[in-house]
Amino acid sequence: MASEKGVTLLDFWVSPFGQRARIALAEKGVQYEYKEQNLVEKSDLLLKSNPVYKKIPVLIHDGKPVCESLVIVQYIDEVWSDKAPLLPSDPYQKAQARFWADYVDKKVFDCGTRLWKLKGEEQEAAKKEMIEILQLLEAQLGDNKYFGGDTFGYVDVAFIPFTSWFYTYETCGNFSIEAVAPKLVKWAKRCMERESVKTLYDPNKVYEFVCYLKKKFGVE
Amino acid sequence: MEDTTVKLLGTKGSPFSHRAEVALRLKDVKFEFLHEDLAHKSDMLLRHNPIHKKVPVLVHGEKSIAESLIVIEYVDEAFEGYNILPSDPYERAMARFWARFIDDKVIPAFWMSCWTDGEIQKGFIAQSKETLTTLQRQLEGKKFFGGDSIGLVDLAGCMIAFWFAVLQEVAGINLLNEEDYPVLCRWAEDYCSVRAVSESLPDKSFLVAHFASKKEKMFATKAPLLSTKAGRPLPPPLKSNG
């Protein structure tokens, strides 16, 4: 790989993992080149930059690739440390932030996928689980403005992209997230006022994409 | 006065507890090891890790920290001395990436290789071989994943260094051997020789007996007791690599 100076992000428009990287870069005011990837016919650049997983997002900084969205966000926070710190400086607060971002990683996407992909009893189980997850996260948020407290932070970055999937989860699961976790919905609206988050895709477009996937996988 | 005592809730048989214990020893932190009976979890464990209810949990004064890789980073940042993670942001990102690779790919594939049979087992064995080969490549030209001394990835890899030999003996497979993985096996020996590590390892015969007693149960339920990053058991491997 040529040692080009600058920042490139290999990504896919609807990916909540890619959005984490985009939000972090925007919070830090970093200029970068966005390269939309074809995930069916993966580019040489993607395969070379992420030979282990062959997945997006990949951040390429001065020719060196960084993979895995939360690893990327921490990297961005450490390199561009002069502006908008995402992780707190206190080791314990940092550990808490990492724990909750890890919780989002372990739980939200997988449960959400089961919610829209499955039917019947399995879908009901996924819905119950999703409600539990959202209520736990809401309890963690408490009355704070953000998960980071007064400032938008690491857990906010980790979780906010999934809010554009809320409409999809609600429609497929036939329930209202506002009814079960109203503070979370308010938090999402607050985040959407930020310049870095405004670029998140329209929940309707996410739903359209999921409908396309359902047809593709023969789920109906 | 602020309580600064350090307690580690763990079990001797758990590689995840071991990771936290090694981190504390590398930093010369005085701590009390509180042994958990996972069949009868203590109130203290449930209070300090209500979300996952697992070991290890580090209790530092009033603060509780859970998830072994998070505990390691906390110990590295909260205490002076030995550097478990590198200081350069890119090197730190690489360390975190490979630690996650071990947790997300290497361990689950090997674990499933041990507790399945037939065609499904063949698939997991192939997957496991691939992940071990990929990981071994990271050791090229280095004594440890961390360089001259052990770091985050070495601690993450402890299960490979010590537990894998026990597991494959109980399961009757021969995946990790010197012929196929000379560099990884050499690293395993070097890792286990580090004092902070050797003081934190369980007795091998205890571990063999422990897994031997679990073997029947795991084959019978066909529900291996390790969950993946997503919190669910791994599905059988697909024929192609998505």
Side-chain angles (χ1 to χ4, degrees):
Chain A
M1 194 142 17
S3 221
E4 299 173 14
K5 284 277 170 201
V7 183
T8 304
L9 182 69
L10 308 183
D11 201 349
F12 183 64
W13 68 279
V14 79
S15 163
F17 304 101
Q19 283 169 349
R20 287 168 168 176
R22 278 177 255 167
I23 291 167
L25 288 165
E27 286 285 320
K28 300 285 188 174
V30 177
Q31 297 299 318
Y32 68 98
E33 187 185 357
Y34 179 94
K35 285 192 172 160
E36 181 72 12
Q37 297 298 298
N38 180 339
L39 298 183
V40 175
E41 285 175 36
K42 293 177 181 178
S43 69
D44 284 342
L45 182 59
L46 175 58
L47 298 175
K48 239 181 9 193
S49 311
N50 191 358
V52 175
Y53 294 110
K54 306 174 177 57
K55 283 182 173 179
I56 56 89
V58 182
L59 185 81
I60 306 174
H61 184 202
D62 293 345
K64 296 195 282 193
V66 182
C67 309
E68 292 297 284
S69 63
L70 291 183
V71 175
I72 292 172
V73 173
Q74 287 187 85
Y75 175 79
I76 291 168
D77 199 36
E78 288 172 12
V79 171
W80 291 277
S81 54
D82 51 336
K83 189 180 174 190
L86 296 172
L87 275 161
S89 50
D90 171 69
Y92 177 63
Q93 298 303 329
K94 235 187 238 188
Q96 290 305 97
R98 285 181 179 134
F99 177 89
W100 286 104
D102 179 66
Y103 179 83
V104 171
D105 245 16
K106 280 185 163 83
K107 299 282 185 183
V108 178
F109 189 73
D110 178 73
C111 183
T113 303
R114 278 182 280 130
L115 226 178
W116 66 255
K117 234 185 194 171
L118 302 174
K119 290 274 155 212
E121 264 180 46
E122 286 178 311
Q123 188 182 48
E124 266 309 300
K127 176 171 121 188
K128 266 204 188 97
E129 202 186 315
M130 180 56 84
I131 291 172
E132 265 173 43
I133 291 166
L134 294 175
Q135 288 179 332
L136 193 63
L137 286 164
E138 188 183 56
Q140 183 54 30
L141 176 69
D143 290 318
N144 290 319
K145 188 174 179 191
Y146 299 113
F147 283 94
D150 290 326
T151 51
F152 186 77
Y154 186 65
V155 183
D156 303 281
V157 174
F159 187 32
I160 192 65
F162 291 95
T163 59
S164 42
W165 292 67
F166 277 4
Y167 174 67
T168 300
Y169 300 153
E170 287 172 316
T171 309
C172 296
N174 191 25
F175 71 113
S176 157
I177 291 180
E178 185 149 20
V180 301
K183 280 186 181 162
L184 218 50
V185 172
K186 284 203 181 86
W187 159 80
K189 289 198 173 109
R190 264 198 299 279
C191 293
M192 290 294 287
E193 290 167 10
R194 300 182 75 80
E195 283 306 315
S196 63
V197 178
K198 269 188 183 131
T199 54
L200 277 185
Y201 271 81
D202 185 347
N204 291 305
K205 284 231 159 69
V206 172
Y207 182 66
E208 259 173 52
F209 176 76
V210 169
C211 289
Y212 153 77
L213 282 182
K214 275 165 98 155
K215 268 206 193 84
K216 186 173 167 186
F217 290 122
V219 179
E220 207 30 276
Chain B
M1 197 167 76
E2 198 198 330
D3 177 9
T4 57
T5 59
V6 179
K7 297 181 178 63
L8 179 65
L9 279 68
T11 65
K12 270 298 179 183
S14 159
F16 306 101
S17 282
H18 164 90
R19 289 171 175 178
E21 201 182 334
V22 176
L24 289 167
R25 290 188 192 279
L26 286 170
K27 293 286 202 181
D28 257 318
V29 175
K30 284 194 168 40
F31 68 98
E32 190 187 351
F33 190 102
L34 297 174
H35 199 279
E36 277 292 321
D37 175 1
L38 296 180
H40 303 98
K41 292 175 181 178
S42 71
D43 285 341
M44 192 177 183
L45 176 63
L46 299 175
R47 198 170 68 242
H48 288 291
N49 190 3
I51 309 295
H52 300 304
K53 306 177 176 53
K54 287 180 175 178
V55 294
V57 180
L58 186 75
V59 183
H60 185 192
E62 304 288 307
K63 309 174 221 179
S64 349
I65 301 103
E67 295 299 288
S68 61
L69 296 182
I70 295 174
V71 171
I72 294 172
E73 291 218 39
Y74 173 77
V75 169
D76 199 34
E77 287 158 8
F79 299 99
E80 298 288 309
Y82 192 98
N83 292 319
I84 304 176
L85 272 93
S87 49
D88 171 69
Y90 184 73
E91 296 305 318
R92 290 164 73 82
M94 291 301 104
R96 286 173 181 140
F97 176 87
W98 289 108
R100 293 284 295 255
F101 177 75
I102 288 169
D103 265 1
D104 295 345
K105 296 289 174 188
V106 181
I107 292 175
F110 190 91
W111 183 263
M112 296 297 276
S113 301
C114 289
W115 312 122
T116 51
D117 50 22
E119 283 307 304
I120 292 184
Q121 185 186 39
K122 283 202 185 116
F124 281 123
I125 287 178
Q127 217 178 63
S128 187
K129 283 188 169 158
E130 213 181 293
T131 63
L132 289 169
T133 302
T134 301
L135 187 67
Q136 185 172 243
R137 243 180 256 130
Q138 298 312 303
L139 275 170
E140 251 151 60
K142 298 196 287 190
K143 183 174 185 190
F144 297 111
F145 291 100
D148 294 327
S149 49
I150 61 173
L152 178 71
V153 184
D154 301 278
L155 269 64
C158 66
M159 195 170 174
I160 304 164
F162 189 80
W163 275 258
F164 274 19
V166 171
L167 287 170
Q168 61 185 22
E169 182 184 320
V170 171
I173 59 173
N174 181 21
L175 249 176
L176 181 64
N177 55 66
E178 266 188 56
E179 197 185 322
D180 295 331
Y181 301 99
V183 179
L184 212 47
C185 288
R186 189 268 310 147
W187 161 82
E189 236 182 87
D190 287 340
Y191 172 78
C192 292
S193 310
V194 173
R195 203 186 65 184
V197 172
S198 61
E199 287 174 352
S200 313
L201 286 173
D203 174 59
K204 206 156 209 170
S205 50
F206 153 80
L207 215 56
V208 171
H210 170 77
F211 283 113
S213 74
K214 285 212 170 337
K215 183 178 174 180
E216 255 181 63
K217 181 176 177 182
M218 285 192 273
F219 267 106
T221 61
K222 292 211 188 309
L225 303 173
L226 187 78
S227 51
T228 63
K229 165 182 161 175
R232 308 181 71 231
L234 268 178
L238 299 169
K239 292 229 160 57
S240 62
N241 245 328

